Amino acid sequence: MSAPILEVSGLGKRFGGFVALENIDLKVAPGERLGLIGPNGSGKSTLVNCICGTLINDTGTVQFNDRDLKGLITHERTRLGMARSFQLPRPFFSMTIADNIRVPLLYTLNAHRSEEQIAARCNELLGLVGLAGKATQFPRDLTQVDMRKLELARAMAVEPKLLIADEAMAGLSGSEVTDIVNLLITLNERGITVILIEHIMSAVMQFSQRLVVLVSGKKIADGAPDIVIRDPEVERAYLGQ
Amino acid sequence: MPFDLLVSALVAGVLLGGFYAAVTVGISIAFGILDIVNIAHPAFIILGSYIAYILNAQFGIDPVIAGIIALPAFYVLGAAVYQVYYVSFEKRGKEALSGLAFFFGLLFITEVLLILQFGVDYRYVQAGYIDNNLGKFLGLSQSLPKLIAELPMRMLVPCVMSILMFGVLLIVIKRTFIGRAIMAVSQDALALQLMGADPVRIKRIAFAISIATAAMAGAFLIIIQPVEPSVGREYIGRVFAICVLGGMGSLTGTLIAAVLLGVAESLTATFYGPSWAPAVSFGLLLLTLAFRPSGIMGR
Amino acid sequence: MRTMSTWMFALVACVVAAAVFFFVPFIGKILGWGDYIYIASYTVLQYVVLATAWNILGGYTGYVNFGSAAFFAVGTYTTVFFHKLYPLPIPILVVLAAVVGGLIGLGMGYLTLRLRGAFFSIATLAMAVVLQTLIVNWDFVGGSRGAYVIRPASIVLFDSYIQYLFVIMLALVVIAVTVARTIERSALGYGFAAIRDDELAAEASGVPTLKLKLIATALSGAFMGMAGAPFPYFIGFLQPSGVFGLEYAVNSIAMPIIGGTATWIGPLVGAILLGTLQQVATVTISSAVNVLMVGLLLVFFVIVAPNGLVGVVQNLFRKKPGAPS
Ligand SMILES: Nc1ncnc2c1ncn2[C@@H]1O[C@H](COP(=O)(O)OP(=O)(O)OP(=O)(O)O)[C@@H](O)[C@H]1O
Ligand SMILES: [Mg+2]
C-alpha cells in the first residue's frame, strides 16, 4: 500500500462511562473506495465525527496526508481536503440550492476566485449530481434523494481529497441507491478517496474495494469485501442483532 | 475580618441560598431539562409576588398559603404558555431565535402590565412572623444560642419552605412515573417511547410544574423583600447563573449552586456593600461558562 | 442577479439622507412641532442604528443579544467619561464608543460563543445588570445620581445643536445600513447565514464559525456603542436607570423582528415604523403603554409572521417560489 492518505491509530472515544470507540486502527490508501459497515450504534458516525473534528477523540491520533490533525477544528480539517456528508442531511435551509454550494466554494479555496469562477464551479457541481434544474429552489422543496445529492455536492465543493459519505443512501429506493453509488464511483474515478458508510449491503458490495467492520466500537474485520462478509465473527455480529 | 460579621454573613447567605433554590428550580426544569430558554421566568415569579400581595392585603391570607392557592392557576398558565410555544416554535423547529424573542416579549408584557396595574411603588405583605426573629417568635430568646435566636423569620420561613418544596419536587422527579418520564424526555427518547408516554404531554406537564414553582417563589420573595415590577430582572442573571453552575437540570446541583451564590452575594454585600451584590451572579455565570460550562456537578 | 455596488448604494443612501434632512423641518412645520421634530427624528434614527446593529448578530447569525441597552450605555458612558476628562468633538467620541462597544462585544463573544447560543443570550442579559451595577458604583461618571452633560449653546454650520445631533445620527444610519447591506452580499454574509442555519454543517463546509461569530459580535457591539455616543448631549442629564431602560432592550430586538431579520431592510423598516409610532404615541400615552405595545407586537410577530413585515410583503408579491434577495 502506498503512503496512506488517512491513518487512524489507537483511536478511542467515550461518552461518560460508555465506550463508543476503542483502539481503532485504520489506514486508507489514496484513491481507495472503502466501505465501513457495522450494526446500529456500533460507532461509525462517531468515528467519522472524530476524524472530521466534530468530536474530539480521547485517545489515539488521526493523520491526514502525514499530518497529525490534533488540535485542528473542523473547518481547518475541511480546508486540508477532507469532506463529509451527514447521515441526516443538514442543508442550509434558508438558502437556495445554489447558495448552499456557494458557502463551501467561498470558504475553502485559499486562492481568491472570481464571482464568475464561483458561479461556473457551482453549476458544474450541480450538474454533476443532477440538480442543475433546481438551483433556485430551497432545500425544503427537495425530495429525499435530491437532498442526499445536495449533501454530496456540498461536500464536493470543498474540493476534497477524501470524502466520507455517512449513510448517503438511507431511505432511498433501489434505483436511487444505484444513482448514488454510481455518483460516488464517478467521484472516485476523478481521484477522490471515498469512505462509504452504509447499511444497504448490495450498495456496499458494489462500491467497496475493501471493507471494514465495526461492532460495539471495535474493529473486527478489515479486508477484501467478499472475504470479510464470510468472516464468522462478522456473520455472528450481524445475526446477533 | 471580624469573625461575628463573617459568621452572620455566612448564615444569611445560606438562608438566601435556600430561597434562591426555589427561585431557580423552575428554570432548572425548563432550561436544564426541557431545553426551553424561558427568560420570562422571573417575571412569573414577580406575578406570584403580586398575587400573594393581593391575597394578603385583601383577605389577610398568609403569603405562603397564598402561594399554595395560586399554584393551580400557575400550573394552568404554564401549560398554556407551553402549548403556544410548542405550536409556534418547537414544532416548526424555530425555537432558537423566535422562541427566545417570544419569552423576551412575555417578560416585558408581564412587567408592564404589573406596572400599569400597580405602579412602580414597592409592595409588601404582612404576617405575624415577618418582623420577628426566631427567638422572639418561639418565645425562647433567652434559652436559644444567640446566633440561632437572632435568625430573622423573614429569611428563615422562605428558606425552610423552599427546601420543603425542593424536596417534594425531588421526590416527584425521582419516584413517580411522570417524574421519570420528564427526565427521560431530555435524555432518552427511546426510553420514553418504551414507557408509552407522549413527549409533548410530558413536556407540557413539566413546563407547567416549572411555572407553578414561580407562584411559591414569588410568595417567598415578597416575604423577604418589598417588590416592584422590575425587581424580576435582577433575578435573571441569578437564576441562570445558578442553573448553569448547578450543571443544568441537576436538581441537587441547583440546590448546592443556589447556596454557593447566596453565600457569595451575602459576603460581597457585607464586605463591599450591597450595591455590588448583583454583579456577583454575573461574574460567577461568566466564569462558569468560560471555564466549566458543565457546571459543578458536570463530568 | 442584478445588484447595486456598495459605493452606489452608499451614494443612494446619502441622497436619501439628504432628502430626509431637508424634509424633516417641513414636517415639523406642518405638525407645528418646531424643534421637537428633531428630537423625535433623532430618537427614531437612533433606533434604526440600534436595530441594524442588533440584526448583524441576531438576524444574520441567529445569536440573540438581550443586552442592547448595555452596549448602548457603554457608548453613552464613554462620552460621559470623556466629557468629564476632556471634551472631544462628537464624531471622535463616536469612534471611541465604537471601539469600546466592539471590544466588549468581542469579550462577551469570546467567553460564551463556543457554547450553545442560549448561553450567549443569557450572558448578555446578565451583563446588562452588571454593567449597570458598575456604572451605579462609579462616581466619576455620576454614579446612581446621574450626570449632567451640558451641550454647547451653538455649533458652527448648524442652526441649532439638536440639528447637529440629528445630522450625526443620520450619518450613523447611512454607515450602519450600508455596512449591514454590504455584509449581507459578501462572503461574510454567506458565512453568517450558514452559521444561523446549521453550525456543524457550516464548519464542515470550511466556515470558521467562531471567528465569524466574533466578527459579528464585535461589529454589532461597535454600532450599538456608536448609537449611544451622542446621547448624553441629546438628553443633557442621564441616569443609569434611564440609559439601561426597558425601551432600548425591547426595541432593538422587536424592531428587527417585526421588520424582518433576513435582510438590512427589515430593521430599517421596523425601526422607522415602530419608532415613529412610539414618537406619536408618547404624546398621547404613557411610556409604559408604549413598551407594552412593543412587547405585544413582538410576541404577535414571532408567532404569526416570523419573517416580519418584509416576509409578509414578499409572500404577497411572490408568485412562484424561489428568487430570493
Ligand atoms: N453525543 C453523544 N453522547 C452520548 N452518546 C453518544 C453520542 N453520540 C453517539 N453516542 C452513542 O455512541 C454509540 C455509537 O453511535 P454512532 O452514532 O457512532 O453509531 P452508528 O454506528 O453511526 O449507528 P447508526 O448505524 O445507527 O448510524 C451509540 O450507542 C450512541 O448512542
Ligand atoms: Mg451513524
Side-chain angles (χ1 to χ4, degrees):
Chain A
M1 192 200 257
S2 55
I5 184 169
L6 177 76
E7 180 167 1
V8 174
S9 29
L11 188 140
K13 176 73 192 170
R14 302 168 146 262
F15 295 113
F18 174 73
V19 181
L21 289 173
E22 197 178 339
N23 202 21
I24 303 288
D25 292 310
L26 178 66
K27 279 185 191 171
V28 185
E32 197 176 3
R33 293 201 303 266
L34 178 78
L36 175 59
I37 61 170
N40 286 110
S42 54
K44 303 178 299 290
S45 296
T46 306
L47 181 60
V48 176
N49 286 332
C50 289
I51 292 173
C52 296
T54 309
L55 290 172
I56 296 172
N57 42 307
D58 304 323
T59 61
T61 57
V62 179
Q63 285 187 311
F64 185 66
N65 276 331
D66 286 332
R67 176 170 176 180
D68 190 348
L69 298 185
K70 191 173 163 60
L72 295 190
I73 41 184
T74 306
H75 73 267
E76 294 168 321
R77 300 185 189 206
T78 304
R79 287 171 172 190
L80 289 177
M82 188 186 263
R84 72 171 301 180
S85 67
F86 288 94
Q87 180 167 356
L88 295 171
R90 307 180 71 136
F92 302 124
F93 277 103
S94 74
M95 299 183 206
T96 61
I97 307 306
D99 284 349
N100 265 270
I101 312 290
R102 281 174 68 91
V103 172
L105 289 177
L106 286 166
Y107 276 91
T108 43
L109 260 204
N110 297 330
H112 186 72
R113 278 186 274 204
S114 71
E115 185 57 37
E116 290 75 37
Q117 283 168 312
I118 288 179
R121 183 71 183 130
C122 183
N123 285 334
E124 196 182 332
L125 284 165
L126 288 175
L128 182 69
V129 298
L131 286 178
K134 300 183 174 159
T136 57
Q137 292 188 11
F138 285 87
R140 61 169 178 274
D141 302 323
L142 293 186
T143 59
Q144 264 298 316
V145 64
D146 282 349
M147 201 86 114
R148 301 278 173 184
K149 288 178 176 171
L150 172 61
E151 195 73 15
L152 286 177
R154 196 177 59 187
M156 286 305 299
V158 313
E159 313 296 348
K161 301 185 185 78
L162 169 69
L163 170 67
I164 308 178
D166 194 351
E167 296 196 27
M169 308 160 204
L172 301 189
S173 72
S175 66
E176 292 168 339
V177 168
T178 317
D179 259 16
I180 302 270
V181 170
N182 289 338
L183 179 58
L184 288 173
I185 292 179
T186 312
L187 298 179
N188 176 253
E189 279 162 359
R190 300 186 173 193
I192 298 168
T193 313
V194 183
I195 301 179
L196 172 67
I197 295 167
E198 196 43 72
H199 283 298
I200 305 172
M201 280 317 284
S202 61
V204 177
M205 295 308 286
Q206 191 190 338
F207 172 83
S208 313
Q209 297 166 334
R210 181 159 69 100
L211 205 53
V212 168
V213 186
L214 278 189
V215 173
S216 325
K218 293 192 199 71
K219 187 171 103 171
I220 61 159
D222 184 343
D226 45 345
I227 300 179
V228 164
I229 52 160
R230 269 182 275 123
D231 184 323
E233 206 179 341
V234 174
E235 278 183 350
R236 203 172 331 119
Y238 270 87
L239 289 177
Q241 67 157 354
Chain B
M1 188 184 292
F3 186 69
D4 277 1
L5 210 56
L6 180 67
V7 171
S8 65
L10 278 176
V11 171
V14 171
L15 290 180
L16 194 62
F19 160 66
Y20 283 172
V23 175
T24 312
V25 69
I27 285 287
S28 288
I29 294 173
F31 183 42
I33 299 180
L34 306 176
D35 209 20
I36 301 174
V37 194
N38 175 17
I39 50 172
H41 193 76
F44 290 120
I45 292 177
I46 302 300
L47 189 64
S49 292
Y50 273 89
I51 287 175
Y53 160 73
I54 295 168
L55 291 180
N56 181 261
Q58 298 283 320
F59 309 106
I61 295 172
D62 181 273
V64 176
I65 308 289
I68 295 173
I69 293 175
L71 273 177
F74 271 60
Y75 183 92
V76 172
L77 176 68
V81 169
Y82 177 77
Q83 201 55 30
V84 173
Y85 175 79
Y86 171 73
V87 172
S88 312
F89 311 111
E90 233 174 36
K91 212 159 122 188
R92 297 191 210 156
K94 288 206 175 205
E95 58 264 44
L97 194 150
S98 307
L100 273 171
F102 169 70
F103 284 115
F104 193 66
L106 282 192
L107 173 75
F108 282 100
I109 291 172
T110 314
E111 183 175 329
V112 174
L113 282 178
L114 287 174
I115 291 178
L116 290 174
Q117 189 61 38
F118 298 98
V120 290
D121 303 332
Y122 279 96
R123 308 286 166 154
Y124 50 88
V125 287
Q126 281 166 335
Y129 51 84
I130 286 182
D131 294 318
N132 272 331
N133 61 34
L134 184 62
K136 284 217 195 82
F137 182 70
L138 297 174
L140 296 171
S141 294
Q142 307 308 318
S143 46
L144 283 169
K146 186 157 170 286
L147 190 68
I148 294 176
E150 283 183 358
L151 287 177
M153 291 300 285
R154 190 174 56 80
M155 300 296 300
L156 192 61
V157 170
C159 176
V160 170
M161 295 308 294
S162 293
I163 290 171
L164 207 65
M165 174 170 98
F166 213 85
V168 170
L169 275 174
L170 259 183
I171 291 170
V172 168
I173 296 268
K174 294 257 148 81
R175 294 285 151 80
T176 67
F177 177 81
I178 289 286
R180 281 195 299 269
I182 289 173
M183 291 313 283
V185 131
S186 67
Q187 288 163 357
D188 197 344
L190 186 69
L192 195 68
Q193 270 175 17
L194 293 179
M195 293 166 82
D198 165 16
V200 176
R201 185 174 150 259
I202 297 298
K203 281 184 140 186
R204 185 167 54 234
I205 292 174
F207 193 79
I209 292 176
S210 103
I211 298 297
T213 65
M216 297 304 293
F220 303 154
L221 174 64
I222 201 166
I223 296 176
I224 291 181
Q225 64 167 79
V227 167
E228 54 103 3
S230 76
V231 166
R233 272 183 285 148
E234 287 172 23
Y235 280 86
I236 295 175
R238 265 184 206 132
V239 292
F240 281 100
I242 293 169
C243 178
V244 173
L245 186 65
M248 302 281 297
S250 154
L251 290 191
T252 332
T254 300
L255 186 60
I256 296 171
V259 173
L260 272 180
L261 183 70
V263 170
E265 278 191 4
S266 166
L267 290 178
T268 310
T270 308
F271 295 104
Y272 295 95
S275 60
W276 284 103
V280 175
S281 59
F282 178 71
L284 212 59
L285 176 65
L286 266 196
L287 287 177
T288 316
L289 287 179
F291 297 109
R292 200 165 167 74
S294 57
I296 41 175
M297 298 294 278
R299 325 177 234 108
Chain C
M1 193 164 48
R2 280 172 300 118
T3 56
M4 228 186 265
S5 80
T6 295
W7 295 116
M8 195 60 200
F9 180 84
L11 193 71
V12 171
C14 286
V15 172
V16 173
V20 170
F21 174 76
F22 285 110
F23 268 105
V24 158
F26 267 118
I27 299 170
K29 271 215 192 81
I30 292 167
L31 294 175
W33 280 8
D35 257 6
Y36 181 76
I37 190 70
Y38 284 122
I39 296 178
S41 333
Y42 174 95
T43 312
V44 174
L45 293 176
Q46 174 182 280
Y47 278 131
V48 174
V49 179
L50 277 174
T52 304
W54 184 90
N55 204 46
I56 290 178
L57 181 66
Y60 296 173
T61 73
Y63 277 78
V64 181
N65 177 0
F66 289 125
S68 309
F71 284 98
F72 177 79
V74 162
T76 306
Y77 274 94
T78 305
T79 294
V80 175
F81 178 80
F82 282 104
H83 181 81
K84 306 260 157 173
L85 209 62
Y86 183 85
L88 295 164
I90 295 181
I92 295 180
L93 289 169
V94 167
V95 174
L96 289 170
V99 172
V100 181
L103 284 177
I104 291 189
L106 202 62
M108 282 293 299
Y110 190 76
L111 284 179
T112 55
L113 281 176
R114 273 164 298 182
L115 307 164
R116 279 181 32 224
F119 287 122
F120 172 78
S121 306
I122 295 161
T124 54
L125 205 53
M127 182 189 71
V129 175
V130 170
L131 276 179
Q132 190 171 358
T133 311
L134 287 179
I135 298 291
V136 162
N137 285 288
W138 191 10
D139 285 333
F140 184 73
V141 293
S144 58
R145 285 169 294 109
Y148 283 98
V149 175
I150 315 261
R151 61 163 87 139
S154 65
I155 179 118
V156 284
L157 293 177
F158 292 94
D159 298 344
S160 62
Y161 203 83
I162 184 68
Q163 191 195 31
Y164 170 57
L165 291 174
F166 166 73
V167 169
I168 287 179
M169 204 40 88
L170 201 55
L172 288 183
V173 167
V174 170
I175 297 171
V177 171
T178 307
V179 168
R181 180 183 175 277
T182 307
I183 289 174
E184 225 172 276
R185 281 137 202 267
S186 67
L188 201 57
Y190 278 92
F192 285 172
I195 289 172
R196 179 188 58 207
D197 283 358
D198 191 327
E199 240 170 90
L200 220 59
E203 274 281 330
S205 301
V207 179
T209 53
L210 181 60
K211 188 173 127 199
L212 258 55
K213 286 188 278 182
L214 290 178
I215 293 176
T217 35
L219 268 177
S220 177
F223 276 115
M224 287 182 183
M226 283 162 96
F231 190 66
Y233 290 99
F234 173 77
I235 198 84
F237 170 68
L238 81 171
Q239 270 187 307
S241 57
V243 185
F244 285 89
L246 288 182
E247 307 90 87
Y248 300 110
V250 73
N251 271 321
S252 42
I253 293 183
M255 289 168 171
I257 286 184
I258 290 170
T261 54
T263 63
W264 58 274
I265 306 170
L268 182 67
V269 169
I272 291 178
L273 281 184
L274 221 58
T276 311
L277 192 64
Q278 287 179 63
Q279 283 310 307
V280 176
T282 19
V283 184
T284 46
I285 53 177
S286 73
S287 76
V289 179
N290 241 325
V291 176
L292 179 65
M293 179 184 74
V294 178
L296 287 172
L297 276 175
L298 173 63
V299 170
F300 175 81
F301 267 85
V302 288
I303 292 176
V304 178
N307 296 325
L309 289 170
V310 171
V312 171
V313 173
Q314 263 174 359
N315 278 344
L316 284 181
F317 286 93
R318 191 159 56 188
K319 293 174 188 81
K320 283 179 199 155
S325 59

